[in-house]
Amino acid sequence: MKNPLARGLDPLIGKLELLDEAETGAFLSDLKERESSVILGFLNQHGYNLAQGNPTVLKSFMQVNYLLRDGIGIKMACLFNGVDPKANLNGSDFIPELIEELVGNSEDRYELFAMGTREPWLSEGARKLFGGRQFHAIDGFRQAEDYLRFYQANHCQGRTPIILMAMGMPKQEQVAIHLQQAMDCRGLLICGGAILDFAAERFPRAPFLFRKFGLEWAFRMFIEPRRLFKRYAVGIPLFFFYLLRNAFSGTRRVGDWNALKREP
């Protein structure tokens, strides 16, 4: 049901690829069939806040080909905009399933890259996420051009690259766009946030009940208060301010990017 007070669909909410659990299989099949390089990203409350405060970050999110909903904050934003939020496809759960579905027993057709965090969590997380398959890894503290050179030095012609970006927002989205613009083959770039750290067990995942009720953010803030207190204690009220501001100011555009554009 559409919010009668909202003057237009929030551009970031309109950008989302919203899926039910039953629709994820068809979505994965579509990713397999794409003949161009594709960026897959996730939008959570923190990313939404970053995008509102910086037009460059907002444009980066709009250039992601498939942007999935991650977390209860974006669920509430969808409902406020009169959009069915469907399933919560957070990266920590969805990315391992995605990699296994794409690669499976066809690893000779793919090449795997992990870009982000630092050692030892980089290699340990990549080993677990990639199921022991061979991969190329580089830490998350370089410039965009460094990642492009690393990819070009290790890319094998004829293989499809799957590049996992784990640098945090907004750097990972911006690096992914930089790589995509230089790629001349089909491939998948995944913006995964702290996925490598979680896979390496550097940080514990929230218990099941926290995840089930959308409270993983509260658990993470309890575990890492110095790093995450501002993101949530300040960020959540700010999130609702931005949500209301955008609803009452009408639909906006970012440069030449339409809120519903998803193709490269």
Side-chain angles (χ1 to χ4, degrees):
M1 179 178 179
K2 183 174 176 59
N3 181 352
L5 298 178
R7 297 176 61 184
L9 181 64
D10 188 307
L12 270 179
I13 302 307
K15 175 68 180 176
L16 290 171
E17 185 79 16
L18 297 166
L19 303 169
D20 286 322
E21 293 286 353
E23 296 173 313
T24 57
F27 176 70
L28 294 177
S29 297
D30 181 58
L31 286 180
K32 283 184 178 181
E33 299 301 319
R34 293 293 298 265
E35 293 299 325
S36 58
S37 58
V38 174
I39 302 174
L40 175 69
F42 299 83
L43 181 67
N44 57 20
Q45 165 259 319
H46 177 57
Y48 187 95
N49 282 2
L50 291 175
Q52 305 312 309
N54 188 320
T56 301
V57 175
L58 180 53
K59 185 176 180 180
S60 296
F61 276 115
M62 301 301 285
Q63 290 180 264
V64 170
N65 302 112
Y66 295 101
L67 192 62
L68 304 183
R69 177 178 79 80
D70 181 358
I72 192 171
I74 303 302
K75 177 181 180 179
M76 297 174 70
C78 288
L79 293 171
F80 191 83
N81 279 267
V83 176
D84 183 356
K86 298 192 176 182
N88 181 42
L89 299 176
N90 72 82
S92 300
D93 294 321
F94 187 70
I95 290 173
E97 175 187 342
L98 168 65
I99 292 172
E100 193 58 39
E101 176 67 23
L102 291 178
V103 180
N105 296 321
S106 304
E107 55 187 281
D108 57 321
R109 295 171 47 198
Y110 293 90
E111 55 186 5
L112 304 172
F113 292 82
M115 300 181 176
T117 192
R118 66 178 79 225
E119 297 292 0
W121 304 287
L122 169 57
S123 294
E124 180 63 21
R127 269 193 295 271
K128 291 184 178 180
L129 277 175
F130 295 145
R133 302 176 180 93
Q134 183 178 359
F135 61 87
H136 307 284
I138 183 173
D139 69 67
F141 302 94
R142 314 292 181 96
Q143 300 299 313
E145 198 60 31
D146 296 325
Y147 297 108
L148 177 57
R149 285 194 291 265
F150 180 81
Y151 162 73
Q152 292 173 333
N154 291 283
H155 172 54
C156 179
Q157 291 292 334
R159 290 198 172 192
T160 300
I162 296 178
I163 305 175
L164 180 59
M165 325 290 294
M167 306 165 190
M169 300 171 176
K171 181 178 179 178
Q172 61 190 10
E173 287 78 19
Q174 294 166 348
V175 172
I177 292 166
H178 184 68
L179 294 181
Q180 184 189 47
Q181 291 171 344
M183 293 171 67
D184 59 359
C185 64
R186 64 193 301 261
L188 177 63
L189 300 101
I190 307 170
C191 299
I195 182 69
L196 290 173
D197 290 318
F198 283 128
E201 299 182 0
R202 180 183 183 185
F203 305 123
R205 287 292 309 277
F208 173 74
L209 285 178
F210 279 79
R211 301 200 302 269
K212 180 179 179 180
F213 292 105
L215 296 174
E216 190 165 4
W217 63 269
F219 179 82
R220 291 188 63 194
M221 186 171 68
F222 176 77
I223 295 296
E224 302 179 79
R226 292 184 62 183
R227 188 172 74 89
L228 298 178
F229 179 82
K230 183 177 179 181
R231 178 183 297 187
Y232 295 120
V234 177
I236 289 176
L238 190 60
F239 170 74
F240 285 108
F241 166 76
Y242 286 140
L243 189 62
L244 292 168
R245 183 198 66 180
N246 292 343
F248 296 144
S249 63
T251 303
R252 297 179 298 155
R253 295 175 66 91
V254 184
D256 294 328
W257 287 90
N258 186 290
L260 300 179
K261 183 173 182 178
R262 293 191 175 93
E263 293 301 311

